[in-house]
Amino acid sequence: MTTRSCPCGLPEPYEKCCGRFHSGAAAAPTAEALMRSRYCAFVRGDAAYLLRTWHPRTRPARLDLDPGMRWTGLEILGTTGGTAFHTTGTVTFRASYRGGALHEHSRFERVDGAWVYVDGDFPE
């Protein structure tokens, strides 16, 4: 990842990649794009975006992010569904942070046409 590339791992600059989703200028077109933008929101400490893109059925009342957490990379391991032609999708990923990694199989749904995070489990 270059200093100009988006934290989500794609080569575009933040403003043209996840930044447009964070600002509300565009909506993530796929479950994977939403997952990448949510990872980027964790990197940037954007709890408001994380809550806004969480399914109302499973969204917590508040989200307290650890300001000391340093996310260092994202690897997409697999996806199912989650395109413009689907109403549900999954993304399996590994998000690295200083001192470890989080491996999650996340579920996404479309609500009023927009992708939202539902929940996830942690494969062994």
Side-chain angles (χ1 to χ4, degrees):
M1 180 167 72
T2 68
T3 56
R4 292 189 42 82
S5 63
C6 189
C8 80
L10 295 178
E12 292 87 4
Y14 166 76
E15 294 77 20
K16 291 185 179 182
C17 193
C18 294
R20 61 197 171 111
F21 305 141
H22 293 173
S23 72
T30 65
E32 180 181 338
L34 180 66
M35 195 262 119
R36 286 180 176 279
S37 72
R38 286 176 56 83
Y39 168 81
C40 188
F42 274 104
V43 170
R44 297 176 64 86
D46 189 347
Y49 179 78
L50 293 166
L51 289 170
R52 193 167 66 245
T53 58
W54 212 310
H55 197 292
R57 183 177 74 236
T58 57
R59 179 181 343 163
R62 61 183 258 196
L63 186 60
D64 297 318
L65 300 178
D66 178 355
M69 179 66 103
R70 296 293 175 250
W71 296 98
T72 58
L74 176 66
E75 179 184 5
I76 303 298
L77 303 173
T79 64
T80 61
T83 73
F85 303 105
H86 299 102
T87 56
T88 63
T90 67
V91 179
T92 303
F93 67 91
R94 182 173 297 112
S96 300
Y97 56 88
R98 202 172 288 153
L102 169 71
H103 183 194
E104 183 173 321
H105 178 78
S106 298
R107 286 175 281 283
F108 297 86
E109 290 180 13
R110 291 183 95 150
V111 172
D112 297 327
W115 285 106
V116 292
Y117 170 78
V118 177
D119 61 14
D121 53 46
F122 307 100
E124 294 185 24

